[in-house]
Amino acid sequence: MHIHLLGTGAGGGFPQWNCNCDNCKRLRSGTIKSSARTQSSITVSGNGEDWVLFNASPDIRAQIESFPPLQPARKVRDTGICSIILCDGQIDHSTGLIILREHDKPWDVYCTESVYEDMTTGYPIFNILGHFRGVNWHEVSTEQDSFTIPKADNLVFTAVPLKSEAPPYSPHRHNTVPGDNVGYKVEDTSTGKNLFYAPGLGVIEDHVYDYMANADVVLVDGTVWTNDEMSRHGISDKLASEMGHLDQSSKGGIKDTLSSLEKPRKILIHINNTNPILDEDSPERKQLDDAGIEVSFDGMDIHI
Ligand code: MLT
Ligand code: MN
Ligand code: ZN
């Protein structure tokens, strides 16, 4: 399986357009060892030709230009993207669907019923796309039933329900239902290897831990180092946990959990611009290095 990381930043990207935090400021002035990151999205392929897009970020246009396998090559209007999976209905994960409105046929979009509800009510992107070529919705079960996708050769997908938070405009905000946020196991039947991907993870429940422990690569929520990171920077009084993200540094946080896993390669994704781990010379980044945990970057390729 080819895994290409199109966007490794959280909502807003890095630097964020209106952000003057230490990281964003230092990136703009070229005084931080780091790199810019677009918003959260990855793409996977079993055959190297047909690609499943996980999440459609507002930066999808630039992301496609950065990765030739997604670009038109066979006819006048064309794409290497065969289908789209949404992990949730957040702005950073779904707004790119609007950018992709010129598709020459309905988009095959895979998501849970609750995300479908977000996409047809609170943030009615599917309704808007109905005025173009439309959306061919494929309901994803929250019962951990595996499924395959046409053209996605050798790949088997399993949605893993997660405890996180529904978007602010969701009918389920503060009253989440299973399916508001899911992670994915993606297995390549030709290599027997599997990826566990969860860009928004609020609580590591037992079933989630098992998926992580049995994966060859885990690509999980790297949003914040500390739960109060936004208020520390004077940005917002919201805790990361209130937005459905588990921090890295607390006891039982993402770093502790990943450190306890023996099998997988461990990589953080969906990194917020305030997170000190974006600075490759920071002590926080050193702690991750020492724990064998990688910080993803745009354009990173993984083969399993
Ligand atoms: C999140 O991951 O919590 C959201 O994407 C935040 C946002 O961009 O509004
Ligand atoms: Mn996000
Ligand atoms: Zn910033």
Side-chain angles (χ1 to χ4, degrees):
M1 170 173 24
H2 309 257
I3 306 163
H4 183 81
L5 309 192
L6 292 163
T8 56
F14 177 48
Q16 180 173 315
W17 70 278
N18 64 342
C19 191
N20 205 21
C21 76
D22 279 356
N23 283 343
C24 289
K25 190 163 43 185
R26 290 166 62 216
L27 190 75
R28 290 194 185 96
S29 62
T31 55
I32 186 174
K33 189 170 173 209
S34 191
S35 56
R37 284 164 169 83
T38 61
Q39 295 169 85
S40 182
S41 177
I42 72 169
T43 187
V44 303
S45 177
N47 60 19
E49 279 189 20
D50 301 289
W51 294 80
V52 174
L53 183 70
F54 273 98
N55 302 315
S57 101
D59 300 319
I60 185 68
R61 188 186 165 282
Q63 292 168 341
I64 289 171
E65 292 308 312
S66 76
F67 190 51
L70 301 187
Q71 294 168 11
R74 290 143 288 235
K75 53 186 175 132
V76 64
R77 287 285 166 95
D78 178 47
T79 176
I81 302 169
C82 61
S83 288
I84 300 172
I85 297 180
L86 303 179
C87 289
D88 54 55
Q90 295 274 4
I91 287 174
D92 56 347
H93 285 164
S94 59
T95 303
L97 289 170
I98 297 286
I99 314 294
L100 300 178
R101 67 192 173 283
E102 298 96 345
H103 196 32
D104 60 357
K105 53 180 180 289
W107 273 112
D108 286 296
V109 180
Y110 293 71
C111 67
T112 62
E113 190 182 8
S114 48
V115 171
Y116 178 83
E117 213 182 321
D118 290 350
M119 297 285 96
T120 50
T121 61
Y123 193 28
I125 290 181
F126 287 4
N127 303 356
I128 293 168
L129 289 174
H131 297 278
F132 298 85
R133 293 294 168 98
V135 169
N136 190 14
W137 174 48
H138 302 263
E139 182 177 353
V140 170
S141 150
T142 54
E143 302 295 324
Q144 298 171 60
D145 303 323
S146 301
F147 63 95
T148 56
I149 293 178
K151 288 184 158 184
D153 298 341
N154 305 326
L155 301 184
V156 178
F157 301 83
T158 312
V160 179
L162 304 174
K163 278 205 179 6
S164 186
E165 183 51 90
Y169 40 80
S170 168
H172 316 125
R173 180 70 166 181
H174 301 315
N175 182 25
T176 57
V177 299
D180 279 333
N181 294 272
V182 294
Y184 274 89
K185 172 185 176 185
V186 188
E187 181 171 13
D188 185 325
T189 53
S190 69
T191 63
K193 302 274 167 99
N194 79 88
L195 161 73
F196 179 71
Y197 171 57
L201 182 55
V203 180
I204 300 174
E205 299 168 278
D206 289 349
H207 72 280
V208 178
Y209 188 84
D210 290 346
Y211 277 103
M212 289 165 83
N214 291 310
D216 293 282
V217 173
V218 292
L219 201 49
V220 291
D221 193 334
T223 310
V224 291
W225 181 253
T226 51
N227 196 25
D228 62 353
E229 194 164 299
M230 304 293 270
S231 64
R232 272 179 202 221
H233 286 86
I235 291 169
S236 147
D237 54 8
K238 261 194 207 152
L239 295 173
S241 52
E242 293 175 81
M243 297 191 290
H245 298 291
L246 179 61
D247 66 88
Q248 280 125 48
S249 63
S250 64
K251 197 166 161 19
I254 299 265
K255 178 165 70 65
D256 272 2
T257 304
L258 292 181
S259 300
S260 73
L261 304 173
E262 281 170 21
K263 181 180 171 191
R265 184 173 168 192
K266 307 153 210 182
I267 309 172
L268 297 174
I269 194 162
H270 189 279
I271 303 154
N272 198 53
N273 53 71
T274 51
N275 193 326
I277 66 172
L278 286 168
D279 179 350
E280 293 171 32
D281 291 329
S282 65
E284 293 85 356
R285 182 64 167 265
K286 170 116 187 14
Q287 285 187 48
L288 293 181
D289 290 345
D290 293 346
I293 299 169
E294 297 170 62
V295 177
S296 65
F297 52 88
D298 287 18
M300 188 174 186
D301 279 304
I302 302 161
H303 296 276
I304 55 173

